[in-house]
Amino acid sequence: MSVPEQPAPQQSAPQQWAWAAPAPVMQTVETEPLEYHRLLRGVANYRWWKPLLLLLLAGVYFGVFTVILAVGFVPLMMAGDPEYLNDLASGSTEIIDTQRPLSVLMSMLSIIVMLPAVILAMLTLGMRPVGRVWSVAARLRWGLLLRLLGAAVLALIAMTAVGMAAEIGLQAIVDPAALSEPPAEADRAFDVNAALISLVLVIVLVPVQAATEEVVFRGLFMQVLGAWLRNPWFAILIPSVAFAMAHIYDFWGLAAVGLMGVVAAWLTWRTGGLEAAIAIHIVNNLVGFGFMVTGFGGETAQTADGGSAGGLLGEIVGLGVFVWLALKIFRKGGHGRSRIDLVQVQAPTLQPVQPTSPQMQSQSQPPIAGQGGAAAPQADAAAPPSAEPREQPAEPQSPAVEPQSPNPGSEEQQRG
C-alpha cells in the first residue's frame, strides 16, 4: 500500500520592512463640483481636522494682532483723547462715538485685523489658493461687486423709506403724543471738526471693515462648517446667529442683524462668493455711520437700543429688493457658483500574485481529451488575474468642460 504523496508546503511571500516599502504612487483627479461652503474640501492634502485647525490658528493670529494693536493704540489714545478709556470704563460713553474719532479708528482697526489673521492661517496650513475664501473663482469678482453695490444702494433707499414710514405709523398707533414732542437735545455741543474726521475714517475704513466681517462670518465659518456638513443650511444659520450675537443691540436690533446675516449667507451660497454680502454690508454700514456722524435722530454713538419694529419691517422689504436684484445681476453676468479643484490621491497598486506549487497546478488543470482522462499540463497555462491599469494623472480642465468622475476608491471621493 503506497502512501499518497503530500503536496509541498506553500511558501509565503517574504516580509517587507515598512521603511523599505516603495513610496506610494500619486495621481491627479478632479473633485466633485464644490459649492462655496464646501471649498475647503478642494485644498491639497485635505484632512477632516484641517478646517478646525484653520479656525483655531486664525483665532491665535487675531489675538496676537489685537495685542499689538492695543499696545500701539494706548499712547495714541493718551495723547489724543486721554479721557476716553476712563469714560468707557465708567459707562459714560459708548465704544463707538463719532464725536470721538479715535474711538472710530480703534473700533474699525480691531475688526480689520481679522482679515490678515484668516489669510495668514490659510497660508500657514497650505490652503492655496487663499482666494477661495472670496469666491469659487478664487478671487474677488470686482465687476460683480460693483454692480451689486448699485443694487444695494437701491435696496437701502427702499429699506430706509419703508422703515421710517413704518416707524411713524407704529408710533402714531401706540403713542400719538410722542410725534409732537421736540427731539431730545444732545448732551454736549456738536463738534463739526470731530464729525468731519469721523466721516473720513468711515468712508475709508468701512468698506474694509465690512469685507472683513464677511470673510470671517460668511467666509471662514461657512467653509469650516461646510467641510464637515454637506447641507448648506448649517453653514448659513449657525454663523448668522454668531454674527448677531457679536453686536450690542436690543431684541429688534439683533433680529435685524440676524436677518441680514441669513440673507447675506444665503446669497453667498447661491452666488458662489462674498460679493453680494460685502455689497449690502458696505452700503448698510455707510448709511448707519452716516446717520451717527451727522447726529441724525439725536445720537452720534452706536447704542444698544438702536433697533425698532418699524426698522425691522423696512429691512425685510429692503432685503427682499436686494435679493431680487442680486440674483438678476448674477444670472445676467453668467458667473459660476461651484468650483472643481485638482487634488492628489494615491493611485491603485497592483496586487501581488500568490505562488502555487506544481501539484496544485496539476490538480487545477482539466484532463485532455483522448488521453484517457489523465491530467496533463496545458500548453498555455492560465494567466493570473491582473490588477486594473493605473490611471494617468488627469489633465487640468476648464470649468466649462464636463469633469471626469474622480477615482471611486480615492479618499477624497469617500469623504465627499
Side-chain angles (χ1 to χ4, degrees), residues 50-87:
K50 278 194 173 183
L52 179 60
L53 183 58
L54 171 63
L55 192 63
L56 296 176
L57 194 58
V60 171
Y61 285 141
F62 172 62
V64 172
F65 292 155
T66 300
V67 172
I68 296 174
L69 180 64
V71 171
F73 230 92
V74 169
L76 182 62
M77 190 68 70
M78 294 302 296
D81 191 355
E83 298 298 325
Y84 172 73
L85 296 178
N86 293 331
D87 293 343

Side-chain angles (χ1 to χ4, degrees), residues 221-297:
F221 288 169
M222 279 189 69
Q223 292 187 353
V224 167
L225 290 171
W228 302 322
L229 304 170
R230 182 180 293 270
N231 193 315
W233 283 107
F234 292 104
I236 291 173
L237 296 178
I238 296 176
S240 298
V241 173
F243 177 66
M245 293 296 103
H247 292 74
I248 59 171
Y249 300 128
D250 56 9
F251 170 79
W252 296 111
L254 291 178
V257 172
L259 177 61
M260 179 171 288
V262 171
V263 171
W266 185 85
L267 283 174
T268 297
W269 167 76
R270 182 64 183 80
T271 62
L274 294 175
E275 293 84 4
I278 292 174
I280 191 64
H281 201 153
I282 289 176
V283 176
N284 179 78
N285 282 15
L286 285 175
V287 172
F289 279 105
F291 284 160
M292 285 192 291
V293 167
T294 59
F296 182 83

Side-chain angles (χ1 to χ4, degrees), residues 107-127:
S107 299
M108 293 291 176
L109 292 181
S110 65
I111 295 173
I112 290 174
V113 294
M114 290 191 290
L115 180 58
V118 173
I119 300 300
L120 186 57
M122 296 183 71
L123 289 173
T124 303
L125 296 177
M127 293 183 169

Side-chain angles (χ1 to χ4, degrees), residues 169-251:
L170 291 175
Q171 191 71 34
I173 296 174
V174 176
D175 188 9
L179 296 177
S180 58
E181 294 179 358
E185 296 183 359
D187 296 335
R188 62 179 184 272
F190 185 81
D191 189 343
V192 177
N193 291 330
L196 290 176
I197 296 174
S198 294
L199 180 61
V200 173
L201 292 174
V202 165
I203 294 174
V204 173
L205 296 179
V206 159
V208 186
Q209 171 258 332
T212 299
E213 290 190 14
E214 294 307 316
V215 166
V216 174
F217 289 99
R218 254 69 65 182
L220 177 65
F221 288 169
M222 279 189 69
Q223 292 187 353
V224 167
L225 290 171
W228 302 322
L229 304 170
R230 182 180 293 270
N231 193 315
W233 283 107
F234 292 104
I236 291 173
L237 296 178
I238 296 176
S240 298
V241 173
F243 177 66
M245 293 296 103
H247 292 74
I248 59 171
Y249 300 128
D250 56 9
F251 170 79

